[in-house]
mmCIF file of all heavy atoms in Angstrom:
data_model
loop_
_atom_site.group_PDB
_atom_site.id
_atom_site.type_symbol
_atom_site.label_atom_id
_atom_site.label_comp_id
_atom_site.label_asym_id
_atom_site.label_seq_id
_atom_site.Cartn_x
_atom_site.Cartn_y
_atom_site.Cartn_z
ATOM 1 N N GLY A 1 -10.848 11.592 -16.123
ATOM 2 C CA GLY A 1 -12.080 11.059 -15.550
ATOM 3 C C GLY A 1 -12.372 9.674 -16.068
ATOM 4 O O GLY A 1 -11.621 9.103 -16.865
ATOM 5 N N VAL A 2 -13.463 9.122 -15.603
ATOM 6 C CA VAL A 2 -13.840 7.781 -16.031
ATOM 7 C C VAL A 2 -15.369 7.673 -16.111
ATOM 8 O O VAL A 2 -16.073 8.291 -15.313
ATOM 9 C CB VAL A 2 -13.284 6.725 -15.020
ATOM 10 C CG1 VAL A 2 -13.910 6.896 -13.630
ATOM 11 C CG2 VAL A 2 -13.473 5.311 -15.532
ATOM 12 N N ASP A 3 -15.814 6.960 -17.092
ATOM 13 C CA ASP A 3 -17.239 6.697 -17.252
ATOM 14 C C ASP A 3 -17.563 5.474 -16.379
ATOM 15 O O ASP A 3 -17.326 4.339 -16.747
ATOM 16 C CB ASP A 3 -17.574 6.391 -18.709
ATOM 17 C CG ASP A 3 -19.075 6.159 -18.956
ATOM 18 O OD1 ASP A 3 -19.818 6.165 -17.982
ATOM 19 O OD2 ASP A 3 -19.435 5.958 -20.114
ATOM 20 N N ILE A 4 -18.078 5.729 -15.185
ATOM 21 C CA ILE A 4 -18.337 4.666 -14.210
ATOM 22 C C ILE A 4 -19.233 3.594 -14.819
ATOM 23 O O ILE A 4 -19.015 2.392 -14.609
ATOM 24 C CB ILE A 4 -18.956 5.233 -12.924
ATOM 25 C CG1 ILE A 4 -18.041 6.287 -12.306
ATOM 26 C CG2 ILE A 4 -19.225 4.103 -11.938
ATOM 27 C CD1 ILE A 4 -16.684 5.773 -11.846
ATOM 28 N N SER A 5 -20.234 4.007 -15.582
ATOM 29 C CA SER A 5 -21.202 3.052 -16.144
ATOM 30 C C SER A 5 -20.556 2.076 -17.085
ATOM 31 O O SER A 5 -21.065 0.961 -17.308
ATOM 32 C CB SER A 5 -22.345 3.805 -16.843
ATOM 33 O OG SER A 5 -21.839 4.540 -17.964
ATOM 34 N N ALA A 6 -19.424 2.455 -17.678
ATOM 35 C CA ALA A 6 -18.752 1.563 -18.654
ATOM 36 C C ALA A 6 -17.950 0.481 -17.959
ATOM 37 O O ALA A 6 -17.488 -0.460 -18.620
ATOM 38 C CB ALA A 6 -17.851 2.389 -19.561
ATOM 39 N N PHE A 7 -17.744 0.605 -16.637
ATOM 40 C CA PHE A 7 -16.902 -0.353 -15.908
ATOM 41 C C PHE A 7 -17.617 -1.107 -14.801
ATOM 42 O O PHE A 7 -17.200 -2.183 -14.409
ATOM 43 C CB PHE A 7 -15.695 0.370 -15.329
ATOM 44 C CG PHE A 7 -14.698 0.833 -16.348
ATOM 45 C CD1 PHE A 7 -14.813 2.106 -16.916
ATOM 46 C CD2 PHE A 7 -13.649 0.034 -16.761
ATOM 47 C CE1 PHE A 7 -13.931 2.553 -17.856
ATOM 48 C CE2 PHE A 7 -12.744 0.448 -17.698
ATOM 49 C CZ PHE A 7 -12.860 1.726 -18.263
ATOM 50 N N GLU A 8 -18.700 -0.515 -14.260
ATOM 51 C CA GLU A 8 -19.282 -1.064 -13.044
ATOM 52 C C GLU A 8 -19.886 -2.428 -13.184
ATOM 53 O O GLU A 8 -20.025 -3.183 -12.191
ATOM 54 C CB GLU A 8 -20.333 -0.096 -12.479
ATOM 55 C CG GLU A 8 -21.495 0.196 -13.426
ATOM 56 C CD GLU A 8 -22.436 1.247 -12.867
ATOM 57 O OE1 GLU A 8 -22.194 1.682 -11.731
ATOM 58 O OE2 GLU A 8 -23.377 1.628 -13.571
ATOM 59 N N SER A 9 -20.242 -2.865 -14.384
ATOM 60 C CA SER A 9 -20.881 -4.164 -14.574
ATOM 61 C C SER A 9 -19.877 -5.245 -15.034
ATOM 62 O O SER A 9 -20.315 -6.361 -15.329
ATOM 63 C CB SER A 9 -22.000 -4.061 -15.605
ATOM 64 O OG SER A 9 -21.494 -3.655 -16.872
ATOM 65 N N LEU A 10 -18.586 -4.940 -15.043
ATOM 66 C CA LEU A 10 -17.589 -5.905 -15.516
ATOM 67 C C LEU A 10 -17.363 -6.980 -14.422
ATOM 68 O O LEU A 10 -16.927 -6.661 -13.328
ATOM 69 C CB LEU A 10 -16.270 -5.223 -15.807
ATOM 70 C CG LEU A 10 -16.218 -4.274 -17.027
ATOM 71 C CD1 LEU A 10 -14.821 -3.683 -17.159
ATOM 72 C CD2 LEU A 10 -16.640 -4.992 -18.297
ATOM 73 N N GLU A 11 -17.667 -8.197 -14.750
ATOM 74 C CA GLU A 11 -17.402 -9.275 -13.829
ATOM 75 C C GLU A 11 -15.911 -9.578 -13.823
ATOM 76 O O GLU A 11 -15.241 -9.524 -14.868
ATOM 77 C CB GLU A 11 -18.140 -10.539 -14.235
ATOM 78 C CG GLU A 11 -19.605 -10.570 -13.829
ATOM 79 C CD GLU A 11 -20.218 -11.939 -14.031
ATOM 80 O OE1 GLU A 11 -19.948 -12.546 -15.084
ATOM 81 O OE2 GLU A 11 -20.934 -12.404 -13.166
ATOM 82 N N SER A 12 -15.368 -9.950 -12.669
ATOM 83 C CA SER A 12 -13.977 -10.330 -12.566
ATOM 84 C C SER A 12 -13.864 -11.818 -12.876
ATOM 85 O O SER A 12 -14.838 -12.556 -12.838
ATOM 86 C CB SER A 12 -13.422 -10.034 -11.183
ATOM 87 O OG SER A 12 -14.043 -10.882 -10.234
ATOM 88 N N PRO A 13 -12.638 -12.290 -13.209
ATOM 89 C CA PRO A 13 -12.456 -13.714 -13.458
ATOM 90 C C PRO A 13 -12.958 -14.610 -12.342
ATOM 91 O O PRO A 13 -13.607 -15.637 -12.583
ATOM 92 C CB PRO A 13 -10.938 -13.846 -13.656
ATOM 93 C CG PRO A 13 -10.534 -12.503 -14.195
ATOM 94 C CD PRO A 13 -11.419 -11.516 -13.460
ATOM 95 N N ALA A 14 -12.669 -14.228 -11.080
ATOM 96 C CA ALA A 14 -13.126 -15.048 -9.949
ATOM 97 C C ALA A 14 -14.648 -15.101 -9.888
ATOM 98 O O ALA A 14 -15.229 -16.138 -9.559
ATOM 99 C CB ALA A 14 -12.559 -14.473 -8.641
ATOM 100 N N GLU A 15 -15.313 -13.979 -10.187
ATOM 101 C CA GLU A 15 -16.782 -13.973 -10.192
ATOM 102 C C GLU A 15 -17.344 -14.864 -11.295
ATOM 103 O O GLU A 15 -18.437 -15.393 -11.161
ATOM 104 C CB GLU A 15 -17.298 -12.534 -10.373
ATOM 105 C CG GLU A 15 -17.057 -11.632 -9.176
ATOM 106 C CD GLU A 15 -17.443 -10.188 -9.470
ATOM 107 O OE1 GLU A 15 -17.100 -9.665 -10.543
ATOM 108 O OE2 GLU A 15 -18.086 -9.579 -8.592
ATOM 109 N N ARG A 16 -16.580 -15.052 -12.359
ATOM 110 C CA ARG A 16 -16.998 -15.915 -13.442
ATOM 111 C C ARG A 16 -16.611 -17.374 -13.198
ATOM 112 O O ARG A 16 -16.815 -18.234 -14.068
ATOM 113 C CB ARG A 16 -16.380 -15.442 -14.780
ATOM 114 C CG ARG A 16 -16.814 -14.049 -15.200
ATOM 115 C CD ARG A 16 -16.419 -13.790 -16.657
ATOM 116 N NE ARG A 16 -14.981 -13.789 -16.864
ATOM 117 C CZ ARG A 16 -14.191 -12.727 -16.837
ATOM 118 N NH1 ARG A 16 -14.719 -11.541 -16.564
ATOM 119 N NH2 ARG A 16 -12.903 -12.800 -17.050
ATOM 120 N N GLY A 17 -16.028 -17.649 -12.062
ATOM 121 C CA GLY A 17 -15.630 -19.011 -11.725
ATOM 122 C C GLY A 17 -14.311 -19.412 -12.324
ATOM 123 O O GLY A 17 -13.977 -20.620 -12.409
ATOM 124 N N GLU A 18 -13.510 -18.447 -12.747
ATOM 125 C CA GLU A 18 -12.210 -18.713 -13.337
ATOM 126 C C GLU A 18 -11.105 -18.521 -12.281
ATOM 127 O O GLU A 18 -11.363 -18.183 -11.126
ATOM 128 C CB GLU A 18 -11.986 -17.781 -14.535
ATOM 129 C CG GLU A 18 -13.053 -17.939 -15.629
ATOM 130 C CD GLU A 18 -12.938 -16.858 -16.709
ATOM 131 O OE1 GLU A 18 -11.943 -16.113 -16.680
ATOM 132 O OE2 GLU A 18 -13.847 -16.781 -17.549
ATOM 133 N N VAL A 19 -9.867 -18.726 -12.699
ATOM 134 C CA VAL A 19 -8.736 -18.589 -11.801
ATOM 135 C C VAL A 19 -8.587 -17.103 -11.415
ATOM 136 O O VAL A 19 -8.672 -16.205 -12.261
ATOM 137 C CB VAL A 19 -7.445 -19.088 -12.490
ATOM 138 C CG1 VAL A 19 -6.241 -18.866 -11.559
ATOM 139 C CG2 VAL A 19 -7.566 -20.572 -12.830
ATOM 140 N N PHE A 20 -8.335 -16.853 -10.139
ATOM 141 C CA PHE A 20 -8.064 -15.492 -9.645
ATOM 142 C C PHE A 20 -6.882 -14.921 -10.380
ATOM 143 O O PHE A 20 -5.810 -15.549 -10.480
ATOM 144 C CB PHE A 20 -7.776 -15.580 -8.137
ATOM 145 C CG PHE A 20 -7.727 -14.244 -7.463
ATOM 146 C CD1 PHE A 20 -8.827 -13.699 -6.866
ATOM 147 C CD2 PHE A 20 -6.521 -13.533 -7.372
ATOM 148 C CE1 PHE A 20 -8.789 -12.485 -6.200
ATOM 149 C CE2 PHE A 20 -6.458 -12.324 -6.718
ATOM 150 C CZ PHE A 20 -7.585 -11.781 -6.136
ATOM 151 N N SER A 21 -7.053 -13.690 -10.929
ATOM 152 C CA SER A 21 -6.020 -13.130 -11.799
ATOM 153 C C SER A 21 -5.561 -11.759 -11.299
ATOM 154 O O SER A 21 -6.353 -10.907 -10.903
ATOM 155 C CB SER A 21 -6.552 -12.977 -13.236
ATOM 156 O OG SER A 21 -6.859 -14.246 -13.787
ATOM 157 N N VAL A 22 -4.245 -11.568 -11.357
ATOM 158 C CA VAL A 22 -3.630 -10.292 -11.063
ATOM 159 C C VAL A 22 -2.839 -9.869 -12.300
ATOM 160 O O VAL A 22 -2.233 -10.714 -12.958
ATOM 161 C CB VAL A 22 -2.719 -10.373 -9.816
ATOM 162 C CG1 VAL A 22 -1.629 -11.394 -10.007
ATOM 163 C CG2 VAL A 22 -2.087 -9.022 -9.513
ATOM 164 N N GLY A 23 -2.878 -8.585 -12.641
ATOM 165 C CA GLY A 23 -2.221 -8.196 -13.875
ATOM 166 C C GLY A 23 -1.735 -6.764 -13.893
ATOM 167 O O GLY A 23 -2.090 -5.943 -13.069
ATOM 168 N N ILE A 24 -0.896 -6.548 -14.885
ATOM 169 C CA ILE A 24 -0.381 -5.200 -15.165
ATOM 170 C C ILE A 24 -0.811 -4.812 -16.560
ATOM 171 O O ILE A 24 -0.756 -5.607 -17.499
ATOM 172 C CB ILE A 24 1.162 -5.171 -15.021
ATOM 173 C CG1 ILE A 24 1.704 -3.747 -15.123
ATOM 174 C CG2 ILE A 24 1.844 -6.114 -16.021
ATOM 175 C CD1 ILE A 24 3.187 -3.635 -14.721
ATOM 176 N N VAL A 25 -1.335 -3.592 -16.722
ATOM 177 C CA VAL A 25 -1.790 -3.087 -17.996
ATOM 178 C C VAL A 25 -0.941 -1.882 -18.344
ATOM 179 O O VAL A 25 -0.999 -0.861 -17.661
ATOM 180 C CB VAL A 25 -3.281 -2.692 -17.969
ATOM 181 C CG1 VAL A 25 -3.740 -2.214 -19.343
ATOM 182 C CG2 VAL A 25 -4.145 -3.862 -17.489
ATOM 183 N N SER A 26 -0.125 -1.983 -19.397
ATOM 184 C CA SER A 26 0.816 -0.879 -19.670
ATOM 185 C C SER A 26 1.298 -0.949 -21.106
ATOM 186 O O SER A 26 0.930 -1.816 -21.891
ATOM 187 C CB SER A 26 1.989 -0.954 -18.712
ATOM 188 O OG SER A 26 2.938 -1.914 -19.144
ATOM 189 N N SER A 27 2.203 0.009 -21.403
ATOM 190 C CA SER A 27 2.846 0.053 -22.723
ATOM 191 C C SER A 27 4.025 -0.912 -22.766
ATOM 192 O O SER A 27 4.668 -1.054 -23.790
ATOM 193 C CB SER A 27 3.319 1.477 -23.032
ATOM 194 O OG SER A 27 4.165 1.939 -21.986
ATOM 195 N N ASN A 28 4.303 -1.562 -21.651
ATOM 196 C CA ASN A 28 5.320 -2.616 -21.548
ATOM 197 C C ASN A 28 6.728 -2.133 -21.907
ATOM 198 O O ASN A 28 7.507 -2.833 -22.580
ATOM 199 C CB ASN A 28 4.924 -3.844 -22.385
ATOM 200 C CG ASN A 28 3.741 -4.548 -21.800
ATOM 201 O OD1 ASN A 28 3.411 -4.403 -20.622
ATOM 202 N ND2 ASN A 28 3.036 -5.335 -22.600
ATOM 203 N N LEU A 29 7.049 -0.933 -21.450
ATOM 204 C CA LEU A 29 8.404 -0.406 -21.527
ATOM 205 C C LEU A 29 9.108 -0.703 -20.198
ATOM 206 O O LEU A 29 8.465 -0.947 -19.167
ATOM 207 C CB LEU A 29 8.346 1.097 -21.809
ATOM 208 C CG LEU A 29 7.704 1.516 -23.120
ATOM 209 C CD1 LEU A 29 7.598 3.044 -23.199
ATOM 210 C CD2 LEU A 29 8.454 0.970 -24.316
ATOM 211 N N PRO A 30 10.444 -0.688 -20.176
ATOM 212 C CA PRO A 30 11.171 -0.993 -18.938
ATOM 213 C C PRO A 30 10.704 -0.179 -17.725
ATOM 214 O O PRO A 30 10.583 -0.703 -16.625
ATOM 215 C CB PRO A 30 12.619 -0.712 -19.301
ATOM 216 C CG PRO A 30 12.684 -0.918 -20.770
ATOM 217 C CD PRO A 30 11.357 -0.464 -21.314
ATOM 218 N N LYS A 31 10.451 1.150 -17.958
ATOM 219 C CA LYS A 31 10.103 2.013 -16.830
ATOM 220 C C LYS A 31 8.747 1.671 -16.215
ATOM 221 O O LYS A 31 8.437 2.142 -15.117
ATOM 222 C CB LYS A 31 10.109 3.481 -17.280
ATOM 223 C CG LYS A 31 9.025 3.842 -18.281
ATOM 224 C CD LYS A 31 9.123 5.313 -18.655
ATOM 225 C CE LYS A 31 8.019 5.727 -19.622
ATOM 226 N NZ LYS A 31 8.098 7.168 -19.948
ATOM 227 N N LYS A 32 7.952 0.846 -16.880
ATOM 228 C CA LYS A 32 6.669 0.442 -16.330
ATOM 229 C C LYS A 32 6.774 -0.668 -15.271
ATOM 230 O O LYS A 32 5.764 -1.086 -14.711
ATOM 231 C CB LYS A 32 5.737 -0.012 -17.475
ATOM 232 C CG LYS A 32 5.243 1.128 -18.371
ATOM 233 C CD LYS A 32 4.321 2.068 -17.631
ATOM 234 C CE LYS A 32 3.696 3.087 -18.576
ATOM 235 N NZ LYS A 32 2.711 3.972 -17.882
ATOM 236 N N GLY A 33 7.977 -1.145 -15.059
ATOM 237 C CA GLY A 33 8.179 -2.152 -14.021
ATOM 238 C C GLY A 33 7.786 -3.559 -14.428
ATOM 239 O O GLY A 33 7.332 -4.356 -13.584
ATOM 240 N N ILE A 34 7.955 -3.850 -15.715
ATOM 241 C CA ILE A 34 7.571 -5.186 -16.207
ATOM 242 C C ILE A 34 8.423 -6.280 -15.541
ATOM 243 O O ILE A 34 7.934 -7.334 -15.177
ATOM 244 C CB ILE A 34 7.693 -5.265 -17.749
ATOM 245 C CG1 ILE A 34 6.896 -4.119 -18.386
ATOM 246 C CG2 ILE A 34 7.176 -6.601 -18.264
ATOM 247 C CD1 ILE A 34 5.445 -4.078 -18.007
ATOM 248 N N ASN A 35 9.720 -5.976 -15.362
ATOM 249 C CA ASN A 35 10.606 -6.963 -14.730
ATOM 250 C C ASN A 35 10.163 -7.211 -13.268
ATOM 251 O O ASN A 35 10.236 -8.336 -12.787
ATOM 252 C CB ASN A 35 12.044 -6.473 -14.769
ATOM 253 C CG ASN A 35 13.048 -7.556 -14.443
ATOM 254 O OD1 ASN A 35 12.775 -8.752 -14.644
ATOM 255 N ND2 ASN A 35 14.179 -7.174 -13.894
ATOM 256 N N ASP A 36 9.677 -6.177 -12.606
ATOM 257 C CA ASP A 36 9.152 -6.323 -11.255
ATOM 258 C C ASP A 36 7.965 -7.267 -11.231
ATOM 259 O O ASP A 36 7.773 -8.074 -10.313
ATOM 260 C CB ASP A 36 8.744 -4.967 -10.691
ATOM 261 C CG ASP A 36 9.927 -4.015 -10.532
ATOM 262 O OD1 ASP A 36 10.681 -3.869 -11.510
ATOM 263 O OD2 ASP A 36 10.082 -3.441 -9.459
ATOM 264 N N PHE A 37 7.105 -7.142 -12.276
ATOM 265 C CA PHE A 37 5.922 -7.974 -12.334
ATOM 266 C C PHE A 37 6.283 -9.442 -12.592
ATOM 267 O O PHE A 37 5.664 -10.362 -12.042
ATOM 268 C CB PHE A 37 4.972 -7.488 -13.413
ATOM 269 C CG PHE A 37 3.667 -8.224 -13.431
ATOM 270 C CD1 PHE A 37 2.690 -7.983 -12.463
ATOM 271 C CD2 PHE A 37 3.397 -9.187 -14.398
ATOM 272 C CE1 PHE A 37 1.485 -8.684 -12.477
ATOM 273 C CE2 PHE A 37 2.196 -9.888 -14.401
ATOM 274 C CZ PHE A 37 1.232 -9.635 -13.438
ATOM 275 N N VAL A 38 7.300 -9.665 -13.438
ATOM 276 C CA VAL A 38 7.759 -11.036 -13.672
ATOM 277 C C VAL A 38 8.258 -11.644 -12.350
ATOM 278 O O VAL A 38 7.969 -12.813 -12.066
ATOM 279 C CB VAL A 38 8.869 -11.060 -14.732
ATOM 280 C CG1 VAL A 38 9.474 -12.457 -14.883
ATOM 281 C CG2 VAL A 38 8.328 -10.584 -16.098
ATOM 282 N N ARG A 39 8.979 -10.842 -11.596
ATOM 283 C CA ARG A 39 9.473 -11.361 -10.300
ATOM 284 C C ARG A 39 8.311 -11.579 -9.340
ATOM 285 O O ARG A 39 8.349 -12.524 -8.523
ATOM 286 C CB ARG A 39 10.483 -10.358 -9.710
ATOM 287 C CG ARG A 39 11.181 -10.926 -8.476
ATOM 288 C CD ARG A 39 12.029 -12.124 -8.824
ATOM 289 N NE ARG A 39 12.505 -12.845 -7.670
ATOM 290 C CZ ARG A 39 11.862 -13.798 -7.027
ATOM 291 N NH1 ARG A 39 10.637 -14.126 -7.405
ATOM 292 N NH2 ARG A 39 12.397 -14.430 -6.012
ATOM 293 N N LEU A 40 7.274 -10.747 -9.403
ATOM 294 C CA LEU A 40 6.100 -10.944 -8.568
ATOM 295 C C LEU A 40 5.440 -12.289 -8.912
ATOM 296 O O LEU A 40 5.017 -13.041 -8.007
ATOM 297 C CB LEU A 40 5.087 -9.823 -8.791
ATOM 298 C CG LEU A 40 3.697 -10.000 -8.193
ATOM 299 C CD1 LEU A 40 3.765 -10.067 -6.657
ATOM 300 C CD2 LEU A 40 2.758 -8.892 -8.636
ATOM 301 N N ALA A 41 5.342 -12.583 -10.207
ATOM 302 C CA ALA A 41 4.751 -13.865 -10.619
ATOM 303 C C ALA A 41 5.549 -15.036 -10.034
ATOM 304 O O ALA A 41 4.970 -16.015 -9.540
ATOM 305 C CB ALA A 41 4.721 -13.961 -12.133
ATOM 306 N N SER A 42 6.857 -14.923 -10.053
ATOM 307 C CA SER A 42 7.714 -15.976 -9.474
ATOM 308 C C SER A 42 7.467 -16.123 -7.967
ATOM 309 O O SER A 42 7.393 -17.241 -7.449
ATOM 310 C CB SER A 42 9.183 -15.669 -9.747
ATOM 311 O OG SER A 42 9.468 -15.685 -11.110
ATOM 312 N N GLU A 43 7.322 -14.983 -7.299
ATOM 313 C CA GLU A 43 7.088 -14.997 -5.858
ATOM 314 C C GLU A 43 5.744 -15.655 -5.526
ATOM 315 O O GLU A 43 5.641 -16.463 -4.587
ATOM 316 C CB GLU A 43 7.112 -13.558 -5.313
ATOM 317 C CG GLU A 43 6.821 -13.430 -3.825
ATOM 318 C CD GLU A 43 7.910 -14.046 -2.947
ATOM 319 O OE1 GLU A 43 9.080 -14.136 -3.409
ATOM 320 O OE2 GLU A 43 7.586 -14.432 -1.810
ATOM 321 N N LEU A 44 4.711 -15.333 -6.299
ATOM 322 C CA LEU A 44 3.386 -15.942 -6.055
ATOM 323 C C LEU A 44 3.420 -17.430 -6.347
ATOM 324 O O LEU A 44 2.731 -18.231 -5.686
ATOM 325 C CB LEU A 44 2.339 -15.243 -6.917
ATOM 326 C CG LEU A 44 2.037 -13.766 -6.566
ATOM 327 C CD1 LEU A 44 1.125 -13.117 -7.596
ATOM 328 C CD2 LEU A 44 1.460 -13.622 -5.174
ATOM 329 N N GLU A 45 4.214 -17.803 -7.354
ATOM 330 C CA GLU A 45 4.346 -19.239 -7.683
ATOM 331 C C GLU A 45 5.067 -19.970 -6.552
ATOM 332 O O GLU A 45 4.691 -21.093 -6.184
ATOM 333 C CB GLU A 45 5.119 -19.385 -8.994
ATOM 334 C CG GLU A 45 5.087 -20.795 -9.573
ATOM 335 C CD GLU A 45 5.701 -20.819 -10.978
ATOM 336 O OE1 GLU A 45 6.769 -20.212 -11.182
ATOM 337 O OE2 GLU A 45 5.102 -21.467 -11.855
#
């Protein structure tokens, strides 16, 4: 489950006037697809 009240007021970077951000949150092991995310960053660039 999730405590909705603990997350609903979080402003995103774009709402704060910062650069639009996309990210992966993980234990950063190979099976989490970290290499895929690096390639995604290259594609967006």
